Structures are given as structure tokens and as C-alpha cells.
Amino acid sequence: MGIPRKSAHAGALQISLIGICIVTASCSVLPTLASDEPTTTTAPPATSVTSTSTTTTTVPTTTTTTTPTTTSTTAPTTTEPSAESTTTTTTPAPQHRLPEGVTETKEELVFERSTALRILLVDDIATCDQSCGETELGNNGQRIRRDYDTGETQTLSPASNSDLFSLLGALEGIDLVELVGRNFAPGDWLINGPRLIISDGSEAVIVPRLPADDQPNASLDPLRDLVQVLTPTWQSPERSATSLVARDIPGGRAIDVDFWQTPISAGSTRCDVASINANWLTNDRTATYGLAVIDGQTVPGTFDDNDRGIFGERRGAGADLDEFSWNFTGRANLNVVSNMAWRNGSRLQMHSNFWSAELWGDQNADWDWAVGGITLLTDGNLTADMSHSYTFNTRRHPFVAFKPPSTLTFGATLDMTALELVQYLQGDGYTDVMKFDGGGSVEMNENGAVTVGGTDRPITVWLGLGC
């Protein structure tokens, strides 16, 4: 920890899942299909028919010695099957609609979420008969089906946060053009069926039909999973949190997870797997102190008064920000940014309670999710003066802590001060600790049940795991 790393795809096109967006009626046929298909379709059947008719003609010639006329009479007969065979083997060219203004790209297109990603499954108009249409997956898990003929839309059963994490996490940082090019030959475009379209708003990677029994191409499994989720009959599987193991700590509970394996997120409601309350409430209970980001969007009513740190997952230029320190007036030289762990193009990051836009740029940019709290320990350094104030001397604190290389601990205590909490976690190897609103606003819940504290205050931001 402490050594900054650059993204393997720095400079590559970045894309991200947005909310539901219905495709307009103005659409276009897939580019390059019309030029590629005829040559691939007609060549193989022609040669096979010719070779068959030649062998058939030889048989009558050797049977009799009469006149050579027999040969010329039989020759025209063999041409008929040839014409018949050509007609039968002609496959109609697949026709798939694309969102207006989107064309297929043959250049590098790396799957990295930012603001314009669209994921759709579109029917082949040449073969789908009635109810031709498309299904689109939104960043909140909603699935919308649209009928091409009527324009009607239907809301399908949604995908859970866990489903989305496993689907999109498997593709993060992958060059989709290279993946598709490596697995599909041009002839694969002749197979009629739906197409999976992943677009950044102007260019798209278009995936040929993916039969379920096409097991050898294991690298296509993430795309096959997306196709499965976008079919109208798909149902989100029931997921249980039984694999999460909680433990007792002084005055409360904690859950340890591996950041590289477990989805972490911020949300406006409690996570049904496990969560703790995050950002401080304002005095009138209508807004929150500190930056709060959910699904890439800043939560309305939140603000940063340079008194709250930030904990979250960040990508792009913000994720590539080097760690640095700054001398707070009258205090020690403190580490301001801690780049804790890297996963699939994003970085788990913690900021201390002070930020200079002039020195370090926009602290609000590039977050997938973020919550605000007070950083007690940042990259091994104490980043709060815990010797006074009810903020630190109260014994009720929800918190998150990080231990290298990838352990995240969520917890809450009703019986440790902030300093005691830090000392307890430091002794166990933790290097980063943030506390959230305590006192009357402390809650940790597991599997839908409150296990520490409990509050009915209008908490606007929750930090969740497994969702």
C-alpha cells in the first residue's frame, strides 16, 4: 500500500452503465453485415453441389456402350438439383436494429463504467416473426422490453445489485472488440438470432448469437450471462447472505470481507445483506454532511464543508491520483489520500478531512459510489484529533476499516470511544479507519435484522456489502 498504480487501460475509451433509456424508432441495420455475408454464404454451397453432380453423371456413362447421346441427355438433368440445392441453402441475412447514431466499432472498446453505457439484446427482424423487439438493462437492475411494431414497453423482473455486480464485474477492464474478434469467425454472423449490443453512446460492440451449449468459448461466459439476464423469461436468483461471517467486537459486531470478491456499495436504503449508516445528518434532518454518491450520481442535499472525509470506489483520473500529504495549519503533516486497493479498473480510496481544489483538482469527480465520515486513521497515520469533543468521546460508532491487501471490515460498537476503536483496530493490522454518525444514529444490520444499535431517523445514505 502507498504505491500508486496506473490503470492498465489508461487512455482507453471508458464506458458506464446508465439508467433505462428506450431506443428511438429511428434505427439502422448492422454495418458491414451486407458486404460480408453474401461472399461467405454463396461460396461453400456452390462447390458442394457441383462436385455431387459430376459424380452422378459418370455412373450412366459407364453402364452402356450405345451412343454418346446418352451422355448429352443426362447432362442437363444433373443441373436441376444444383439449382434446387442453391435455393435451399440460402440463409436470410440477419437484420438487427441499433440505437440511433450508433455504429459498430472495430477499434478498442474497453468495458469501464462512466456515464453513457447501454446494454441491449435486440431480436433478428428476419426471423423473429411476431413480437420483435429489444430488451435493455439499466444501472439500477431494471429490465425494459420494447416491442418494435407497437412501441409498447414492458417492465420485466429486475436484476438485484448482486446480479449486476457479478455481471459487470466480470467484464470490467476487458477490451470487448478484442474478445469478440478472438472468438468469432466472420461466418458466425450467418447464424440468425438475437444480438447483444454494448454501446458507449456512439460506437458499439455487437456480439453474435451465443448458444447455451457453446461451452468451449469459456471467455465468452460473461457475455453469455448478460444475454441470459436480458431474455424476457429470466428471473433474478434468490441470494442468501449465509456465507457472510460476523464476529463480536467490544460493544458490538463486525463483518470481514474481501474487497476483491465482495460487492460494496452506497445506497439510500438498508442493504438486505448487511449495512451500516453512513453520512452525518444536518441539524434539520433534511440533508447530509460530506460527499455522498450513489450509482455515480451525487446525492441531492449533500455538501462538503471540509470537515468530513470520503470513502468510496473511484475510477478514471480520480483513481489515478497519487497519494500525497499536506501540512494542516498548526497540526502534523498528514496523509490526505490513501489508495487502498485496486480492482477491475477502479480503486478503493479514502480522503482525509481537508481538500484543496487548487492543489488537487475536483474531489467530487469519478466516484462509482462514495460516503462521507470522519477519517480516524489514513494510510497508517492518525488524521483526527481525538483528545476532545463529544464526536470522539461518545461510545457509539458505526465504522469501516481496511487492512492490506484487501480486507474490509464493517462494524458498529456501543462501548468504545473513537480513540479506543482506532487502538483496537491498529493492534489488528488495520491502516485506514473511518467512523460515521454515532450517538442516536448508529445501526448495523445483518440479513435484514438490526444487530447493533438501531435508528428510525431519516438516514439518507447507507454503506452496504453484498448488494
Side-chain angles (χ1 to χ4, degrees):
M1 186 156 80
I3 302 174
R5 292 197 290 167
K6 297 286 179 184
S7 166
H9 300 285
L13 181 57
Q14 295 197 348
I15 57 180
S16 143
L17 189 61
I18 60 170
I20 298 163
C21 197
I22 302 303
V23 176
T24 59
S26 173
C27 301
S28 59
V29 178
L30 282 182
T32 74
L33 287 182
S35 57
D36 289 346
E37 279 159 8
T39 48
T40 327
T41 314
T42 47
T47 44
S48 68
V49 171
T50 312
S51 61
T52 320
S53 60
T54 312
T55 50
T56 316
T57 333
T58 358
V59 182
T61 318
T62 46
T63 3
T64 178
T65 54
T66 340
T67 46
T69 333
T70 358
T71 327
S72 57
T73 1
T74 49
T77 346
T78 51
T79 17
E80 287 174 14
S82 165
E84 235 176 43
S85 188
T86 312
T87 319
T88 332
T89 52
T90 303
T91 309
Q95 301 173 48
H96 301 93
R97 294 192 180 186
L98 285 177
E100 186 180 4
V102 172
T103 56
E104 184 183 8
T105 178
K106 299 294 183 184
E107 302 301 322
E108 182 183 21
L109 191 95
V110 176
F111 192 102
E112 289 182 13
R113 288 164 279 172
S114 83
T115 54
L117 181 71
R118 301 188 67 187
I119 298 180
L120 304 99
L121 191 66
V122 299
D123 289 343
D124 176 6
I125 304 170
T127 59
C128 63
D129 290 334
Q130 299 172 351
S131 302
C132 290
E134 66 197 12
T135 311
E136 183 160 358
L137 178 67
N139 73 336
N140 55 359
Q142 280 192 297
R143 299 183 306 136
I144 298 294
R145 177 74 183 168
R146 180 176 183 271
D147 188 284
Y148 285 146
D149 294 327
T150 66
E152 291 177 0
T153 60
Q154 178 190 1
T155 302
L156 305 175
S157 60
S160 68
N161 288 340
S162 300
D163 294 323
L164 280 179
F165 179 84
S166 58
L167 286 166
L168 304 182
L171 289 169
E172 197 72 40
I174 290 176
D175 177 5
L176 296 178
V177 173
E178 194 271 336
L179 175 65
V180 172
R182 185 175 70 235
N183 285 282
F184 293 110
D188 291 325
W189 289 99
L190 300 178
I191 304 173
N192 292 68
R195 291 290 186 264
L196 176 65
I197 294 174
I198 302 176
S199 168
D200 70 344
S202 60
E203 293 184 316
V205 172
I206 305 163
V207 180
R209 187 180 179 186
L210 286 162
D213 57 355
D214 184 18
Q215 296 308 320
N217 287 329
S219 59
L220 296 176
D221 284 346
L223 298 178
R224 190 177 287 106
D225 290 342
L226 267 180
V227 170
Q228 186 63 34
V229 168
L230 285 164
T231 54
T233 53
W234 179 86
Q235 292 290 325
S236 180
E238 292 295 324
R239 295 176 182 271
S240 69
T242 50
S243 58
L244 290 177
V245 179
R247 58 187 171 95
D248 292 332
I249 61 171
R253 302 264 287 170
I255 297 177
D256 304 321
V257 296
D258 185 347
F259 171 70
W260 291 332
Q261 303 296 327
T262 307
I264 311 295
S265 61
S268 56
T269 58
R270 296 165 175 85
C271 167
D272 58 6
V273 179
S275 59
I276 51 179
N277 60 291
N279 294 52
W280 259 255
L281 295 167
T282 54
N283 291 334
D284 60 4
R285 302 286 187 263
T286 59
T288 61
Y289 287 119
L291 178 67
V293 175
I294 296 174
D295 291 333
Q297 300 297 317
T298 302
V299 175
T302 59
F303 63 95
D304 188 4
D305 60 358
N306 257 344
D307 193 27
R308 299 292 180 265
I310 306 170
F311 170 73
E313 205 167 339
R314 205 176 188 193
R315 64 188 65 246
D320 285 334
L321 192 66
D322 291 343
E323 294 183 7
F324 52 81
S325 296
W326 184 250
N327 190 2
F328 291 86
T329 307
R331 296 172 64 182
N333 203 38
L334 300 177
N335 186 284
V336 176
V337 170
S338 177
N339 292 320
M340 296 178 282
W342 181 274
R343 174 181 62 192
N344 298 330
S346 67
R347 179 173 277 152
L348 190 67
Q349 206 171 68
M350 187 178 283
H351 293 185
S352 292
N353 307 327
F354 173 79
W355 188 268
S356 167
E358 293 76 22
L359 291 172
W360 308 310
D362 186 2
Q363 70 168 337
N364 300 312
D366 307 320
W367 295 99
D368 285 351
W369 60 266
V371 292
I374 291 183
T375 53
L376 305 179
L377 193 66
T378 313
D379 203 13
N381 296 303
L382 287 172
T383 44
D385 183 356
M386 290 172 277
S387 62
H388 59 83
S389 164
Y390 73 94
T391 299
F392 303 106
N393 288 335
T394 174
R395 309 188 78 80
R396 300 167 64 88
H397 308 288
F399 67 90
V400 63
F402 174 78
K403 180 199 298 186
S406 61
T407 298
L408 270 179
T409 295
F410 290 72
T413 177
L414 305 179
D415 197 32
M416 281 193 280
T417 65
L419 182 58
E420 289 169 344
L421 177 63
V422 167
Q423 290 170 336
Y424 170 75
L425 291 167
Q426 267 186 314
D428 205 15
Y430 288 86
T431 56
D432 298 82
V433 180
M434 176 180 280
K435 74 180 287 301
F436 302 109
D437 197 5
S441 307
V442 57
E443 177 177 315
M444 177 173 178
N445 53 75
E446 303 163 43
N447 299 325
V450 175
T451 53
V452 181
T455 178
D456 57 3
R457 289 184 179 182
I459 307 291
T460 53
V461 185
W462 294 81
L463 182 60
L465 61 101
C467 289

